[in-house]
Amino acid sequence: MIKGIKGVKDILPEETPRWRLIEETARRWAVLYGFHEIRVPIFEVTALFARSIGASTDIVEKEMYTFQDRDGTSITLRPEGTAGTVRAYIEHNRAADPLPQKYFYTGPMFRHERPQAGRLRQFHQFGVESFGVADPRADVEVIALLWRMLSDLKLPSMTLEINNLGYAADREAYRPQLVAFLKQREETLCGNCRRRIDANPLRVLDCKVPQCRAATEAAPRLADCLSEQARAHFGSVLGELEAIGIPYSLNHRLVRGLDYYCLTTFEVTSTSLGAQNAVGAGGRYDALVETLGGPVTPAVGFAVGVERMAMMLPLAASSSESASVYVAGFGDRGSAAGFSALEELRLAGIRAVTDFRSGSLKSHLRQADRLRSQFALIIGDDEVVKGSAILRDMETKVQQEVFLTSLSSQVSSLLRIS
Ligand code: ATP
Ligand code: MG
């Protein structure tokens, strides 16, 4: 038997209503905030991700699904959605259109990680990107959208953490101080962090390993190296968040794994998620469009993990399918009339099912119960002779006669009354 790939999950029919609820809620809020859907490819040339995400990040170092195309081009399955969206923005010269250009996307992402609860190799994200506005209120708009959307889904015990990464020059000023501090404590750091000291020292602050956290407790803070301009931007973001009633907590350790962030960076976590506690994250990335060959374009965005939202969604918050009619056609003529009735009901917009077995009425009704149909439409040979059928409410067991000549309109109005 051929099995699915490790860390790559099937989303079965019992789970898809939760997924749809999440996707529909996310979409609805994104549209309310003026974002438009974009659909970008699942694979791109490797250089796009390598250049935008950054060579010394976990994703580019060890998580990308990269392969050679038949002509030798190096191709990568997208590990996130920002790079492709930025490429499309540049390639289609969207900067010529009125700014801001605000996009949202949803779909599968691919990272070669160690699979565990909430960490998959094919997973799904919903994300937004807002291009063209440097004003701190653009950051707030994106954070507000994320917060309203997650709150609407009633996901439990969420916290919005936020930090200021400053401008590249601020981080350059800070870096030698941090590196010097880390070098003194090199032995106490985990293997990953030891490598990060030179490659990407800020990431050490973000490490979840307890010894690393303890070792960096007294590390110099980026906040003390920030320029006046960076402080002012962040101050406005916090002020506006307060003004619209979005609660946050400052986390000076929050440094995102991707190189392209600057200034505002944020993450929403939940204590109900266990070890993989991040629901979604984002931030400002003013240099990325230019890095990828586009015009200077300030930008800000976020991405949330759909699997993690689905894990947190209260169980009751799911299925919303309309009432269904089970068509119980039996006997030669009854079966044939049943098949016509099935099609007629569907064409009239009524959800109709059957199992196509030519069983007895009793076995049909048992099947209707098993499929949780709200109604059964009973058509045996006798009914065909009379030109009628019986609509049975499976719960109350109340039965009503309907005429085959006006089947769908009669069934429709009976469904509306029940
Ligand atoms: P983490 O710290 O959990 O590795 P990350 O910083 O790699 O997260 P991002 O790249 O910011 O995550 O992606 C945003 C969101 O996408 C995460 O908050 C998480 O909900 C989800 N996500 C990321 N990687 C995975 C994965 N391998 N499986 C499932 N969801 C994921
Ligand atoms: Mg990760």
Side-chain angles (χ1 to χ4, degrees):
M1 190 192 100
I2 298 173
K3 291 199 168 168
I5 296 168
K6 197 174 159 199
V8 178
K9 272 206 188 161
D10 301 306
I11 301 152
L12 298 170
E14 295 78 43
E15 298 162 73
T16 50
R18 299 152 73 81
W19 279 65
R20 265 205 314 278
L21 177 69
I22 292 168
E23 287 159 358
E24 280 159 14
T25 305
R27 232 171 247 278
R28 185 159 45 77
W29 281 99
V31 169
L32 281 172
Y33 278 74
F35 288 76
H36 301 277
E37 184 175 11
I38 186 166
R39 300 191 185 195
V40 293
I42 294 211
F43 59 98
E44 303 261 6
V45 296
T46 304
L48 174 68
F49 302 113
R51 202 178 303 161
S52 61
I53 298 167
S56 61
T57 56
D58 285 354
I59 293 181
V60 174
E61 269 184 348
K62 54 185 190 211
E63 295 175 359
M64 294 205 302
Y65 277 96
T66 296
F67 59 95
Q68 267 202 356
D69 208 345
R70 288 168 195 273
D71 64 359
T73 317
S74 184
I75 300 286
T76 296
L77 300 186
R78 63 181 188 194
E80 50 97 60
T82 302
T85 307
V86 171
R87 182 205 40 74
Y89 176 85
I90 299 168
E91 194 168 331
H92 302 288
N93 193 25
R94 305 297 291 198
D97 294 329
L99 298 176
Q101 287 283 307
K102 303 198 293 187
Y103 305 124
F104 74 86
Y105 60 81
T106 184
M109 306 293 163
F110 305 85
R111 298 184 193 176
H112 194 275
E113 303 202 64
R114 196 163 62 80
Q116 48 197 293
R119 193 174 290 292
L120 299 162
R121 290 182 173 174
Q122 174 175 327
F123 62 100
H124 298 74
Q125 285 184 337
F126 176 90
V128 311
E129 318 291 354
S130 168
F131 295 106
V133 179
D135 192 293
R137 284 170 293 190
D139 312 30
V140 175
E141 180 179 61
V142 157
I143 296 171
L145 164 57
L146 173 61
W147 191 255
R148 302 299 181 210
M149 185 184 109
L150 297 175
S151 305
D152 190 12
L153 285 166
K154 301 185 179 59
L155 303 184
S157 39
M158 290 187 303
T159 308
L160 167 69
E161 296 184 353
I162 188 164
N163 192 22
N164 186 0
L165 287 183
Y167 294 97
D170 301 335
R171 291 194 300 276
E172 280 316 306
Y174 169 63
R175 193 183 157 114
Q177 294 181 29
L178 178 63
V179 170
F181 176 90
L182 296 175
K183 286 243 156 98
Q184 286 164 13
R185 289 158 185 81
E186 199 162 346
E187 294 79 66
T188 53
L189 300 176
C190 72
N192 265 342
C193 284
R194 260 178 252 169
R195 272 189 296 113
R196 285 173 182 148
I197 294 180
D198 290 310
N200 197 347
L202 263 77
R203 279 289 272 163
V204 179
L205 300 175
D206 206 24
C207 184
K208 305 286 187 291
V209 176
Q211 299 98 279
C212 296
R213 293 195 84 85
T216 53
E217 207 52 65
R221 293 197 177 187
L222 173 58
D224 299 324
C225 295
L226 294 172
S227 56
E228 213 36 65
Q229 212 186 339
R231 283 173 211 266
H233 183 96
F234 195 59
S236 305
V237 170
L238 300 185
E240 297 297 338
L241 284 174
E242 281 157 33
I244 59 173
I246 294 183
Y248 61 81
S249 72
L250 296 172
N251 176 0
H252 70 92
R253 282 176 177 273
L254 183 66
V255 270
R256 309 281 307 118
L258 290 69
D259 272 1
Y260 51 60
Y261 287 112
C262 66
L263 294 170
T264 315
T265 181
F266 54 90
E267 184 163 69
V268 173
T269 57
S270 169
T271 48
S272 77
L273 269 178
Q276 312 309 327
N277 67 352
V279 187
R284 185 165 269 287
Y285 53 96
D286 291 347
L288 183 59
V289 178
E290 203 184 354
T291 302
L292 292 177
V296 176
T297 307
V300 55
F302 72 71
V304 273
V306 181
E307 280 80 2
R308 295 197 192 164
M309 291 192 280
M311 283 165 76
M312 295 164 72
L313 202 63
L315 263 178
S318 54
S319 189
S320 59
E321 283 177 340
S322 59
S324 78
V325 176
Y326 179 92
V327 177
F330 57 102
D332 287 346
R333 299 182 66 188
S335 298
F339 193 56
S340 306
L342 191 65
E343 190 67 3
E344 190 183 332
L345 293 177
R346 290 167 177 170
L347 289 175
I350 299 164
R351 198 156 69 89
V353 296
T354 191
D355 70 355
F356 299 118
R357 276 185 295 189
S358 48
S360 64
L361 175 58
K362 205 170 151 198
S363 70
H364 272 307
L365 292 181
R366 204 180 309 127
Q367 186 71 345
D369 266 333
R370 226 183 266 148
L371 294 175
R372 299 207 180 84
S373 294
Q374 289 81 357
F375 295 89
L377 186 73
I378 299 166
I379 313 178
D381 292 349
D382 294 350
E383 279 73 28
V384 177
V385 172
K386 281 194 280 177
S388 67
I390 294 160
L391 187 72
R392 175 186 174 94
D393 185 320
M394 293 303 293
E395 203 184 300
T396 63
K397 303 194 169 50
V398 171
Q399 304 199 147
Q400 305 236 19
E401 190 170 28
V402 291
F403 297 105
L404 291 178
T405 47
S406 56
L407 182 70
S408 55
S409 59
Q410 270 190 284
V411 171
S412 284
S413 52
L414 287 171
L415 291 194
R416 262 198 304 275
I417 298 165
S418 74

